[in-house]
Amino acid sequence: MSLREIKRQEAIHELYRGEQDLIEDLQLARKAYHDPMLKLSIMTEEELAHIFGDLDAYIPLHEDLLMKLMEGTGPDGTVAQIGQIVIDWLPGLNAYKGYCSNQLAAKALLDQKKLDRRVQDFLQRCLESPFSRKLDLWSFLDIPRSRLVKYPLLLREILRHTPPDHPDVTSLERAITIIQEILSDINVRKGESECQYYIDKLEYLDDKQRDPLIDNCKTLLCHGELRNKSGSRLHVFLFSELLVLTRPVTRNDRSCFQVYRQPIPVLDLALEDLQDGEIRMGGSFRGAFTNGEKAKNVFRVSSLDPSHGQSHTLHVNDVYHKQQWLNCLRTAMAQQQGAPPRVQQGEAVRAKRRSSTVSATISDEETNENCPPVYGPKLRPQTLSKTRLDQKSQGSLKRKESGV
């Protein structure tokens, strides 16, 4: 074989070996974690089903690819053509739509269960056991998702070592297009699921705070913990249609986000990039800066609708994440404010929204951003669609992973 063909076969073997490893990890997740916790009544069957999903159903899917690769292997141990094999197999990956869409809720439930001493002890013993390879349970549960995003890379690597005149070229190019379409569909479903997850966690002091536009939101562009002008922590959500400022609270052992002020429609949103030093102590972030120190990494959002009467000066931890927020806000505003005028039905919704806004206005809160009410303990930021937050850094914005 030529050196190029050797490289091509090595890339094919890497795909094959990766499927073997994935099957072993899925089986391990069941045998070492799921079944013992069920048998010992550490978690209920319903809780385990929510956290683990239908992992068993994916094992035959990946075993099928292994079998097809073995059938396509010649007497000399090489695979002559792999493109059509992959094309025929890829549609089965659509089964992961539900699994990936449920990951945010599954991770939240697992984190909640970790507060239980029995769960803590069991997972710690597993982590210290050789079979875990120092990986925690969530690492095993996240392996299918991380495997999905590797398929385009693996196929491109095989294609890179395939001669231009090889009959496999066209099939490999088609396979790459198919997997990208599948990943795109999974991302859309996952993003919509995460968006709805956070919408369901919003709590309102008054039903009139619930902007009718919230029902139109299908995408959560970014979210995270920021500070307002008084130094109080807010968890800010930028949905496709609305900017929602909240305070994390706990209700009946359930973590949620209490809406602070009236949500601002992106259509009515104004954004101002404040220069470092424009805001100082004395109308600045009390407790966040030493006396006389200049405030850095701040921006202001306000409503163009006079009935809102809102303006919020927000502080981000560093210049990088400030720029991420500004980019996200500008993109959302361009998409909404650059759109054609709404039809009559949309105007009726907007009129209803404004009516609700006026009724829900509390003069003190709507005019004085320095005195926001404080409701409860901080809630850990979660991941989102397209952009994400670093879970351990306040005000840190996470961009959504390029893959699933």
Side-chain angles (χ1 to χ4, degrees), residues 163-382:
D165 58 348
H166 196 288
D168 221 12
V169 170
T170 302
S171 297
L172 284 170
E173 290 174 342
R174 176 60 182 153
I176 292 171
T177 300
I178 292 174
I179 184 59
Q180 288 175 331
E181 291 172 351
I182 291 174
L183 293 183
S184 178
D185 289 343
I186 292 176
N187 270 330
V188 170
R189 280 278 301 272
K190 187 171 185 285
E192 291 177 352
S193 176
E194 291 178 352
C195 181
Q196 191 60 50
Y197 174 84
Y198 284 110
I199 288 176
D200 292 341
K201 280 187 168 289
L202 296 179
E203 277 204 351
Y204 302 90
L205 292 172
D206 189 312
D207 286 342
K208 294 176 181 178
Q209 271 189 320
R210 184 180 175 90
D211 193 305
L213 286 175
I214 196 69
D215 297 323
N216 298 335
C217 296
K218 300 297 182 184
T219 305
L220 177 58
L221 300 177
C222 58
H223 75 107
E225 190 177 274
L226 305 178
R227 290 179 182 270
N228 66 3
K229 195 173 181 180
S230 68
S232 300
R233 293 185 177 119
L234 300 176
H235 200 99
V236 182
F237 294 90
L238 177 60
F239 295 99
S240 53
E241 304 273 347
L242 286 170
L243 180 70
V244 185
L245 285 74
T246 72
R247 288 196 178 281
V249 296
T250 301
R251 296 282 184 265
N252 300 321
D253 296 327
R254 174 179 174 269
S255 298
C256 52
F257 299 90
Q258 193 162 54
V259 175
Y260 160 77
R261 312 282 187 90
Q262 189 73 18
I264 303 176
V266 174
L267 190 62
D268 299 329
L269 192 63
L271 174 64
E272 184 181 358
D273 181 4
L274 300 178
Q275 299 301 312
D276 293 348
E278 280 191 45
I279 298 179
R280 297 173 181 267
M281 285 296 296
S284 185
F285 303 96
R286 293 193 299 271
F289 303 97
T290 58
N291 189 29
E293 186 175 349
K294 296 179 180 179
K296 297 181 179 180
N297 308 315
V298 291
F299 61 90
R300 182 178 292 126
V301 291
S302 56
S303 175
L304 297 173
D305 186 344
S307 66
H308 280 86
Q310 291 192 66
S311 177
H312 305 281
T313 302
L314 301 172
H315 168 242
V316 191
N317 275 356
D318 55 59
V319 65
Y320 171 77
H321 291 103
K322 174 188 174 180
Q323 195 59 50
Q324 296 284 63
W325 271 103
L326 292 177
N327 291 342
C328 230
L329 286 161
R330 286 167 180 158
T331 299
M333 291 166 63
Q335 291 173 346
Q336 289 293 317
Q337 298 174 8
R342 300 184 187 186
V343 296
Q344 186 174 356
Q345 182 181 2
E347 287 297 329
V349 170
R350 194 175 182 193
K352 179 181 177 184
R353 182 196 72 227
R354 287 184 172 175
S355 173
S356 299
T357 300
V358 175
S359 302
T361 296
I362 303 174
S363 58
D364 242 3
E365 294 185 358
E366 294 299 322
T367 57
N368 185 1
E369 65 178 302
N370 292 327
C371 302
V374 179
Y375 292 110
K378 182 179 76 171
L379 184 69
R380 174 183 57 81
Q382 296 283 347

Side-chain angles (χ1 to χ4, degrees), residues 385-399:
S385 111
K386 293 215 176 182
T387 57
R388 296 183 179 253
L389 281 195
D390 185 65
Q391 294 181 349
K392 294 185 179 178
S393 94
Q394 297 171 353
S396 296
L397 179 66
K398 281 186 188 173
R399 302 294 293 178

Side-chain angles (χ1 to χ4, degrees), residues 83-95:
Q84 192 59 47
I85 293 175
V86 176
I87 288 175
D88 294 339
W89 175 79
L90 282 176
L93 293 180
N94 284 301

